[in-house]
């Protein structure tokens, strides 16, 4: 059974930094396309960043140059380094992967950026 668990979200001031973690079990993150998504109240869930099996990364336009996605295969953990945070980054952040056509999500971790 695939499980994803996020952590690292908290309240931070604008301009600050956070690192989110996503620990996976039941699958190897090195074999999967992994992604970070976020959802703010009243908004649709949006892709923040993704990392492919070969390490190729993609980013949403609003986070390019500020966020960095990475993974530690030995720890089966994916990370999202977030720098120069803005109030608009306030959202619940979710870890995602797909296996056999099924999408898996973690419970999310809340990031709140104060101005």
């Amino acid at each position: 059974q695939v499980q994803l668990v996020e952590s690292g979200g908290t309240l931070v001031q604008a301009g600050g930094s956070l690192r989110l973690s996503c620990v996976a079990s039941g699958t190897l993150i090195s074999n999967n396309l992994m992604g970070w998504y976020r959802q703010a109240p009243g908004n649709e869930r949006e892709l923040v960043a993704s990392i492919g099996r070969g390490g190729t990364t993609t980013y949403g336009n609003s986070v390019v140059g500020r966020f960095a996605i990475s993974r530690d295969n030995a720890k089966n953990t994916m990370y999202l380094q977030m720098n120069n945070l803005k109030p608009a980054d306030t959202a619940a952040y979710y870890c995602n992967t797909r296996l056999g056509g099924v999408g898996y999500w973690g419970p999310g971790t809340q990031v709140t950026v104060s101005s």
Side-chain angles (χ1 to χ4, degrees):
Q1 182 179 1
V2 177
Q3 288 189 324
L4 304 172
V5 179
E6 306 94 339
S7 63
T10 189
L11 173 64
V12 63
Q13 288 189 335
S17 297
L18 280 178
R19 189 177 79 158
L20 305 183
S21 300
C22 171
V23 179
S25 59
T27 187
L28 294 177
I29 63 170
S30 58
N31 290 345
N32 303 335
L33 175 64
M34 302 290 299
W36 284 101
Y37 288 74
R38 67 185 181 187
Q39 186 169 20
N43 291 354
E44 293 186 354
R45 194 167 293 190
E46 64 174 354
L47 176 67
V48 176
S50 67
I51 183 165
R53 293 173 60 181
T56 301
T57 58
T58 60
Y59 295 93
N61 289 337
S62 63
V63 306
V64 170
R66 299 189 299 122
F67 290 12
I69 189 171
S70 63
R71 67 186 181 211
D72 185 331
N73 294 338
K75 296 181 179 180
N76 214 31
T77 300
M78 178 176 66
Y79 302 100
L80 184 68
Q81 178 66 42
M82 305 186 295
N83 299 324
N84 190 21
L85 282 160
K86 304 175 181 181
D89 295 317
T90 294
Y93 284 72
Y94 299 90
C95 178
N96 168 267
T97 192
R98 290 185 68 86
L99 286 175
V102 178
Y104 294 91
W105 298 90
T109 187
Q110 179 67 35
V111 173
T112 302
V113 184
S114 64
S115 57

